[in-house]
């Protein structure tokens, strides 16, 4: 034999997947010749590589060797498998110092036999080797099917329940030991062993904070304990199996039934319900807080899901002494960042917790907040910390209050302090929140620089990532009208969830302050979402009210047709539509703004008359002016777009209710989701009310210009046909009321879809003929007008020279003193001229 070639021969054995006993024998010989040290032996490395490697063929081959070897006589000391197991057991026992531990019994406060001894005080140089041995035995039992002897089980349990030093490797060892106990609960077979395990778990609970603080590992084994306890209480055994496999780093088969004893120990001895209430009062890391939050939210969700069942039985149910709403102080953004920066800290928790928050607290999971949080915790945050000066750190809330009190005379000091505060982190800004919000009302006074408003907006958004709900309540109360502030009328969180429209009952000056309006819209969106979740939860909590009528249905009256669910949906729809209508009203310019716009246009026109070409349309000049109104309109359109996308039914409801036609140009151009209206415009045109039909056609005219699509073309054809039908059935007064506002829409139809030219011109001629026939008895002769309209249709090139200052345009200026039919005929003629000019200029 040539010992120097032993490892090469072993490599050939593994490569060919033949003679596994030879490979193990060569490894045993090599292990005996190794220098004794505290490192991981070659045998452990070799067998671990075979079972935990990426080669499935090798894994199956060696697993078959283990299974076949166990079928032979176990006490055959000459077998290679027996020698391998004996060597592994000797290595395991070599790192276990035996000590008598009576003090442990006192700590656990349990009765135990006086001769019970545990293995404790694992040396730091043995921790890595101990972890490697645990993973190897897990692979042997879970992958290769090794059945441990009583001696192996006893020694493994002693190793798993030993207590390592507070190092990162020690934390890893404890986590592996805990998961191995869950995976192979058969290792605990006697009452004494179960008692030893319970004492060790109690030690884990007691020492996890110390381990975390000393080792510097953020995700400690204590958090894993708490997570497993939550899964046991909610009966999520598959989640526990996934957690165990992920921590051990191997896929092994674990039967849920094997966890029944561990579940009993966790739920009845270690982590009882009264013990989620005691721990809540202690201080934990953010991950532990998230685990507590996850448990409370899971419990409440399960409670709400089974309210009907609980209502039908007389048995009571446990409700936590502390409501979950008192602990939801972390926004969805904090949960999101926790998952981004610590994706492997607690596998499975991130997505599960986000689902619970999105379901029960959707206002804390707004995407804009997540984006803002990424900006706050990214590279910009590091740069701000580098720029942070001692002066900025020394500012106090009292100094900020004094700076606010100097307004409106002195802006410099306030601006300086606010700029310094932008360098602080979100947590460091919390002490300034109350002063910042309580003084927002004074920022509405005239003369406050825009930069101050923008900086306050920026600071508010940063605070929104760490204390959203409390911040919203303070802000709503601060922005109330001065009358309510004097009366000290304060709203609570519950008030705002029941009636989110309170947010819009603020000082009217907020509606023309874009930075503060941005904050108001953010809160409105949040409270609308919160109100939906609040009503859903309220409906589930009172679900027993739906059961009682059905139980007495035989003797009592029939169940009402309108259910509580339908009433809730109707209330939410009315709430959302009311918010949209209020926001649309805010977009309308006030009389003062109209006057200012007119004067601004006159000044701009006088300047352009000497420096450049004249403007073609005053409305175009007004729209081009930069003003607070236009900025507020843009902010509102963004929010409406989000609401329409989230629930398209709101779009239909709002447009069936109608709103001022002056806003159609703004809504169609500023809200990208307005194309949804094309789906229900035919239904809106079919309504019996004339006002709704007019609104539908006006809306369609703007949509055709904005979205010149085949679907728009078909709806425009329908509208033209409906107008032709209404022409034959409307009375004179209704005909005038309908066609005067809708005739300009035909110009837009023709501009968007030139193929409609013939149909539109024919309709206009018919309108002129009907109007002429109704006034045939009057002195005015309408025949020349009808003849001229017919000529315009047949020879449109003769009208190309007409402009807006033509006689046809000027005659329409005196229409108020004419007969309605005469006015309508004049409007028809003007419409034809405009269509001809558009078509010719387009060619």
């Amino acid at each position: 034999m040539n010992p120097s070639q032993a490892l090469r021969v072993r490599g050939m054995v593994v490569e060919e997947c033949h003679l596994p006993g030879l490979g193990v024998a060569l490894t045993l010989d090599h292990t005996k010749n190794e220098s004794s040290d505290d490192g991981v032996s070659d045998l452990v490395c070799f067998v671990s590589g075979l079972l935990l490697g990426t080669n499935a063929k090798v894994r199956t081959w060696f697993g078959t060797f283990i299974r076949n070897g166990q079928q032979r006589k176990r006490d055959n000391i000459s077998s290679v498998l027996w020698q391998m197991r004996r060597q592994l057991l000797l290595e395991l026992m070599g790192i276990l110092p035996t000590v008598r531990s009576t003090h442990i019994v006192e700590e656990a406060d349990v009765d135990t036999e006086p001769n019970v001894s545990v293995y404790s005080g694992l040396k730091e140089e043995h921790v890595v080797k101990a972890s490697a041995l645990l993973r190897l035995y897990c692979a042997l039992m879970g992958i290769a099917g090794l059945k441990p002897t009583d001696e192996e089980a006893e020694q493994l349990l002693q190793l798993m329940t030993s207590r390592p030093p507070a190092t990162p490797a020690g934390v890893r060892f404890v986590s592996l030991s805990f998961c191995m106990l869950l995976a192979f609960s058969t290792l605990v077979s006697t009452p004494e062993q179960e008692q030893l395990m319970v004492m060790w778990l109690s030690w884990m609970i007691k020492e996890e904070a110390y381990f975390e603080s000393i080792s510097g590992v953020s995700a400690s084994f204590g958090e894993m304990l708490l997570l497993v306890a939550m899964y046991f209480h909610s009966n999520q055994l598959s989640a526990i199996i996934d957690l165990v496999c992920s921590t051990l780093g191997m896929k092994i088969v674990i039967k849920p039934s094997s966890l029944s004893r561990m579940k009993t120990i966790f739920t009845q001895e270690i982590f009882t319900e009264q013990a989620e209430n005691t721990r809540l009062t202690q201080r934990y890391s953010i991950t532990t807080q998230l685990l507590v939050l996850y448990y409370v939210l899971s419990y409440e969700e399960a409670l709400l899901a089974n309210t009907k069942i609980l209502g039908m039985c007389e048995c009571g149910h446990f409700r936590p002494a502390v409501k979950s709403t008192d602990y939801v102080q972390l926004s969805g953004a904090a949960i999101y960042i926790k998952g981004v920066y610590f994706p492997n800290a607690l596998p499975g928790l991130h997505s599960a917790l986000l689902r619970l928050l999105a379901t029960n607290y959707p206002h804390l999971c707004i995407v804009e907040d997540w984006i803002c949080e990424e900006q706050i915790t990214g590279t910009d945050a590091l740069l701000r910390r580098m720029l942070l000066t001692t002066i900025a750190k020394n500012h106090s809330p009292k100094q900020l209050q004094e700076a606010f009190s100097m307004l409106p005379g002195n802006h410099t000091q306030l601006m300086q302090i606010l700029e310094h505060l932008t360098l602080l982190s979100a947590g460091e800004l919390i002490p300034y929140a109350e002063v910042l919000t309580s003084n927002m009302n004074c920022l509405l006074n005239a003369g406050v620089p825009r930069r101050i408003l923008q900086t306050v907006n920026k600071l508010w958004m940063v605070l929104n990532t760490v204390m959203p709900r409390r911040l919203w309540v303070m802000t709503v109360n601060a922005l109330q009208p001065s009358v309510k502030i004097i009366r000290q009328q304060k709203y609570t969180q519950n008030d705002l969830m029941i009636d989110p429209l309170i947010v819009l009952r603020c000082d009217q000056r907020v509606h023309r302050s874009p930075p503060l309006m941005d904050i108001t819209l953010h809160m409105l969106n949040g409270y609308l979402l919160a109100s939906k979740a609040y009503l859903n939860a309220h409906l589930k909590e009172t679900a027993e009210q739906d059961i009682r009528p059905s139980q007495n249905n035989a003797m009592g009256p029939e169940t009402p047709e309108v259910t509580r669910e339908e009433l809730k949906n109707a209330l939410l729809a009315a709430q959302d539509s009311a918010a949209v209508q209020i926001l649309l009203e805010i977009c309308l310019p006030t009389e003062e703004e109209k006057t200012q716009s007119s004067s601004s246009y006159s000044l701009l026109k006088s300047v352009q008359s000497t420096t450049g070409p004249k403007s073609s349309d005053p409305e175009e000049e007004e729209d081009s002016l930069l003003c607070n109104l236009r900025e507020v309109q843009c902010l509102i359109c963004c929010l409406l777009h989000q609401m329409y996308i989230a629930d398209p039914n709101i779009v239909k409801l709002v447009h069936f209710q109608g709103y001022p036609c002056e806003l159609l140009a703004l809504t169609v151009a500023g809200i990208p989701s307005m194309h949804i209206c094309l789906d229900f415009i035919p239904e809106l045109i079919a309504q019996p009310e004339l006002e709704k039909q007019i609104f539908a056609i006006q809306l369609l005219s703007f949509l055709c210009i904005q979205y010149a699509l085949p679907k728009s073309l078909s709806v425009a054809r329908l509208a033209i046909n409906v107008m032709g039908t209404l022409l034959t059935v409307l009375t004179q007064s209704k005909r005038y009321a309908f066609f005067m506002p809708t005739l300009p829409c035909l110009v837009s139809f023709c501009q968007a879809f030139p193929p409609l030219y013939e149909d539109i011109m024919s309709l206009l001629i018919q309108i002129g003929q009907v109007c002429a026939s109704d006034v045939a008895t009057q002195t005015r002769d309408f025949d020349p007008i009808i003849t001229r309209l017919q000529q315009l249709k047949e020879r449109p090139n003769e009208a190309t020279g007409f402009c807006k200052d033509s006689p046809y345009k000027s005659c329409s200026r005196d229409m108020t003193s004419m007969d309605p039919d005469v006015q309508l005929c004049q409007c028809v003629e003007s419409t034809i001229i405009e269509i001809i000019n558009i078509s010719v200029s387009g060619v």
Side-chain angles (χ1 to χ4, degrees):
M1 296 295 290
N2 187 356
S4 63
Q5 299 296 319
L7 296 182
R8 181 174 298 180
V9 174
R10 187 181 70 174
M12 295 173 61
V13 167
V14 175
E15 184 178 359
E16 299 296 331
C17 289
H18 289 298
L19 303 175
L22 175 60
V24 174
L26 292 173
T27 305
L28 288 171
D29 290 339
H30 185 265
T31 301
K32 292 178 182 178
N33 297 327
E34 283 182 328
S35 59
S36 60
D37 54 15
D38 296 327
V40 181
S41 68
D42 182 63
L43 177 62
V44 175
C45 295
F46 174 69
V47 180
S48 298
L50 296 178
L51 294 176
L52 299 177
T54 58
N55 194 325
K57 182 180 179 181
V58 173
R59 184 164 55 248
T60 304
W61 163 69
F62 194 76
T64 304
F65 164 72
I66 299 294
R67 291 184 178 89
N68 293 338
Q70 293 182 107
Q71 294 177 0
R72 302 185 182 94
K73 192 175 181 180
R74 292 198 174 193
D75 57 354
N76 188 0
I77 61 175
S78 62
S79 68
V80 177
L81 178 59
W82 185 90
Q83 295 178 19
M84 182 191 77
R85 296 176 67 172
R86 188 61 186 173
Q87 178 63 32
L88 290 175
L89 185 59
L90 289 174
E91 292 188 21
L92 188 152
M93 296 173 63
I95 60 177
L96 287 177
T98 305
V99 296
R100 184 74 58 178
S101 59
T102 55
H103 66 283
I104 297 177
V105 177
E106 296 175 359
E107 290 177 0
D109 196 21
V110 295
D111 297 331
T112 184
E113 297 293 332
N115 60 350
V116 170
S117 63
V118 298
Y119 291 88
S120 173
L122 190 64
K123 294 182 179 180
E124 185 173 355
E125 58 268 21
H126 291 158
V127 174
V128 175
K129 184 175 182 178
S131 299
L133 282 169
L134 288 184
R135 292 193 73 235
L136 175 57
Y137 272 100
C138 286
L140 286 171
M141 292 187 291
I143 298 176
L146 179 71
K147 297 179 180 179
T149 62
D150 292 342
E151 184 180 9
E152 288 173 332
E154 174 67 22
Q155 300 301 326
L156 276 173
L157 183 61
Q158 299 293 356
L159 177 61
M160 288 186 291
T161 55
S162 61
R163 305 179 183 188
T167 62
V171 173
R172 171 68 174 164
F173 170 78
V174 176
S175 300
L176 289 174
S177 301
F178 176 57
C179 289
M180 190 173 181
L181 276 175
L182 293 172
F184 306 102
S185 56
T186 54
L187 295 175
V188 181
S189 56
T190 65
E192 292 79 10
Q193 291 175 339
E194 183 175 308
Q195 184 180 354
L196 178 63
M197 179 189 65
V198 172
M199 287 192 298
W200 182 73
L201 292 174
S202 301
W203 169 82
M204 287 177 62
I205 298 173
K206 180 180 179 181
E207 297 296 329
E208 59 96 6
Y210 171 74
F211 266 69
E212 183 173 357
S213 62
I214 297 299
S215 64
V217 179
S218 60
S220 70
F221 51 80
E223 295 162 354
M224 184 181 295
L225 269 173
L226 190 56
L227 181 59
V228 170
M230 295 174 186
Y231 285 147
F232 272 134
H233 277 283
S234 58
N235 202 32
Q236 300 184 52
L237 301 184
S238 60
I240 295 178
I241 295 174
D242 293 339
L243 177 63
V244 169
C245 293
S246 175
T247 304
L248 294 177
M250 62 188 76
K251 187 65 176 179
I252 56 180
V253 178
I254 304 175
K255 295 181 180 179
S257 58
S258 65
L259 297 172
S260 58
R261 182 53 188 158
M262 292 294 293
K263 178 180 179 181
T264 303
I265 293 174
F266 264 79
T267 57
Q268 297 183 9
E269 297 184 33
I270 300 177
F271 281 95
T272 61
E273 300 285 0
Q274 289 76 13
E276 285 330 299
N277 292 335
T278 302
R279 287 171 65 88
L280 286 178
T281 61
Q282 302 175 6
R283 183 177 180 179
Y284 297 98
S285 65
I286 182 173
T287 309
T288 308
Q289 294 177 38
L290 297 183
L291 289 170
V292 174
L293 172 61
Y294 173 72
Y295 173 72
V296 177
L297 290 178
S298 300
Y299 182 84
E300 287 209 341
E301 185 182 55
L303 194 64
L304 291 176
N306 297 280
T307 303
K308 287 188 177 181
I309 300 176
L310 295 172
M312 295 177 65
C313 64
E314 297 181 356
C315 59
H317 56 274
F318 171 75
R319 174 173 286 275
V322 184
K323 293 184 178 180
S324 63
T325 52
D326 296 332
Y327 278 88
V328 186
Q329 297 177 359
L330 295 172
S331 65
I335 311 301
Y336 173 75
I337 291 301
K338 185 67 179 176
V340 170
Y341 290 101
F342 304 98
N344 300 320
L346 292 171
L349 175 64
H350 177 228
S351 58
L353 187 52
L354 269 184
R355 180 191 66 79
L356 287 171
L357 277 175
T359 303
N360 301 288
Y361 300 92
H363 53 294
L364 301 182
C365 298
I366 302 176
V367 178
E368 291 83 351
D369 291 345
W370 294 357
I371 298 174
C372 181
E373 179 72 12
E374 286 181 336
Q375 296 173 350
I376 293 170
T377 57
T379 307
D380 293 343
L382 296 177
L383 294 176
R384 287 197 302 270
R385 301 298 293 179
M386 294 173 62
L387 297 174
L388 188 60
T389 61
T390 307
I391 299 177
K393 293 181 180 179
N394 292 335
H395 285 310
S396 64
K398 182 178 180 181
Q399 290 176 328
L400 181 61
Q401 178 62 51
E402 292 174 354
F404 271 110
S405 62
M406 295 181 182
L407 291 178
N410 186 355
H411 305 141
T412 306
Q413 185 173 354
L414 176 60
M415 189 68 248
Q416 185 179 13
I417 295 178
L418 292 177
E419 289 289 349
H420 287 165
L421 293 182
T422 58
L423 302 176
L424 301 180
S425 64
E428 293 169 334
L429 277 177
I430 293 179
Y432 301 87
E434 187 172 356
V435 177
L436 199 66
T437 55
S438 61
N439 289 279
M440 279 186 173
N441 197 272
C442 67
L443 298 178
L444 298 172
N445 298 326
V448 176
R450 176 62 180 264
R451 187 176 177 182
I452 289 181
L453 292 169
Q454 290 176 330
T455 308
V456 169
N457 175 280
K458 183 178 180 180
L459 293 173
W460 191 93
M461 292 299 175
V462 174
L463 285 168
N464 184 60
T465 62
V466 289
M467 48 176 298
R469 299 186 309 153
R470 189 157 62 96
L471 181 68
W472 295 356
V473 174
M474 292 190 298
T475 305
V476 170
N477 286 319
L479 293 179
Q480 292 183 71
S482 54
V483 176
K484 292 185 178 180
I485 293 179
I486 294 174
R487 296 176 182 174
Q488 295 184 347
Q489 181 177 355
K490 298 293 184 181
Y491 294 109
T492 64
Q493 180 76 15
N494 196 57
D495 296 334
L496 294 166
M497 285 196 299
I498 295 176
D499 185 9
L501 299 183
I502 293 176
V503 177
L504 295 176
R505 298 171 195 154
C506 56
D507 195 309
Q508 296 296 313
R509 295 174 294 177
V510 175
H511 300 161
R512 291 301 180 263
S513 176
L516 297 183
M517 191 63 184
D518 183 30
I519 293 175
T520 302
L521 295 178
H522 192 94
M523 295 188 297
L524 174 65
N525 185 35
Y527 278 121
L528 288 174
L529 295 174
S531 181
K532 291 180 176 63
Y534 173 82
L535 291 177
N536 287 331
H538 177 73
L539 211 62
K540 292 179 180 178
E541 289 175 354
T542 56
E544 65 275 4
Q545 297 182 13
D546 288 337
I547 302 175
R548 294 171 184 170
S550 61
Q551 293 175 342
N552 302 327
N553 193 28
M555 301 179 61
E558 295 183 357
T559 305
E561 296 181 359
V562 181
T563 63
R564 296 171 69 242
E565 180 71 21
E566 293 172 338
L567 291 174
K568 180 210 68 173
N569 293 335
L571 174 60
L572 291 177
Q575 185 172 270
D576 290 338
S577 63
V580 173
Q581 294 287 2
I582 295 173
L583 292 176
L584 289 173
E585 289 181 6
I586 294 174
C587 290
L588 286 171
T590 63
E591 294 299 328
E592 182 181 358
E593 289 171 335
K594 291 179 181 178
T595 304
Q596 292 177 353
S597 299
S598 301
S599 60
S600 299
Y601 166 69
S602 302
L603 177 61
L604 182 64
K605 188 173 182 181
S606 62
V607 172
Q608 288 184 342
S609 62
T610 59
T611 61
K614 295 183 179 180
S615 173
S616 59
D617 192 350
E619 293 182 358
E620 295 179 0
E621 297 295 344
E622 181 181 343
D623 291 343
S624 66
L625 294 176
L626 296 177
C627 59
N628 289 335
L629 174 61
R630 175 48 54 92
E631 191 172 352
V632 168
Q633 289 174 344
C634 292
L635 293 173
I636 290 176
C637 286
C638 289
L639 176 60
L640 295 184
H641 174 60
Q642 297 175 19
M643 295 178 65
Y644 290 172
I645 290 296
D647 187 4
N649 293 325
I650 299 177
V651 191
K652 184 175 181 180
L653 179 59
V654 169
H655 286 84
F656 268 72
Q657 293 172 344
Y659 52 84
C661 60
E662 296 86 353
L663 292 173
L664 285 174
L666 172 69
T667 56
V668 173
I671 305 176
S673 54
M674 280 290 289
H675 63 83
I676 302 174
C677 299
L678 292 172
D679 296 332
F680 57 79
I681 280 183
E683 184 181 353
L684 185 57
I685 293 179
Q687 296 298 306
E689 295 88 352
L690 205 63
E691 295 78 8
K692 293 185 178 180
Q693 295 172 345
I694 295 172
F695 182 77
I697 295 176
Q698 291 176 328
L699 171 62
L700 178 60
S701 67
F702 287 98
L703 289 173
C704 287
I705 297 296
Q706 189 76 14
Y707 307 101
L709 306 172
K711 187 174 185 178
S712 306
L713 174 60
S714 62
V715 180
R717 289 187 187 277
L718 172 65
I720 295 171
N721 293 334
V722 170
M723 294 176 72
T725 303
L726 291 176
L727 177 64
T728 62
V729 298
L730 292 178
T731 62
Q732 180 186 22
S733 59
K734 290 186 177 181
R735 182 172 63 235
Y736 175 83
F738 176 78
F739 282 103
M740 285 299 290
T742 56
L743 282 180
C745 301
L746 297 176
V747 179
S748 299
F749 292 158
C750 223
Q751 182 180 358
F753 305 110
L756 297 178
Y757 177 85
E758 290 294 332
D759 294 339
I760 291 175
M761 294 299 287
S762 299
L763 174 63
L764 290 171
I765 296 297
Q766 292 176 14
I767 296 173
Q769 290 174 341
V770 170
C771 292
S773 64
D774 281 355
V775 293
T777 58
Q778 296 189 11
T779 56
R780 181 175 177 85
D781 186 7
F782 269 67
D783 289 338
I785 297 180
I786 301 303
T787 303
R788 188 162 64 250
L789 294 179
Q790 201 71 32
Q791 292 175 352
L792 290 174
K793 178 184 177 183
E794 296 172 357
R795 296 187 295 275
N797 291 335
E798 297 180 358
T800 57
F802 293 148
C803 63
K804 292 186 178 180
D805 292 332
S806 63
Y808 301 99
K809 183 71 176 180
S810 61
C811 69
S812 63
R813 299 172 183 170
D814 300 328
M815 288 192 300
T816 54
S817 61
M818 297 181 182
D819 183 87
D821 286 318
V822 176
Q823 297 181 36
L824 196 53
C825 280
Q826 296 287 357
C827 188
V828 168
E829 190 171 6
S830 300
T831 304
I832 293 178
I833 296 297
E834 191 170 354
I835 291 176
I836 292 174
N837 286 333
I838 290 175
S839 60
V840 173
S841 61
V843 175

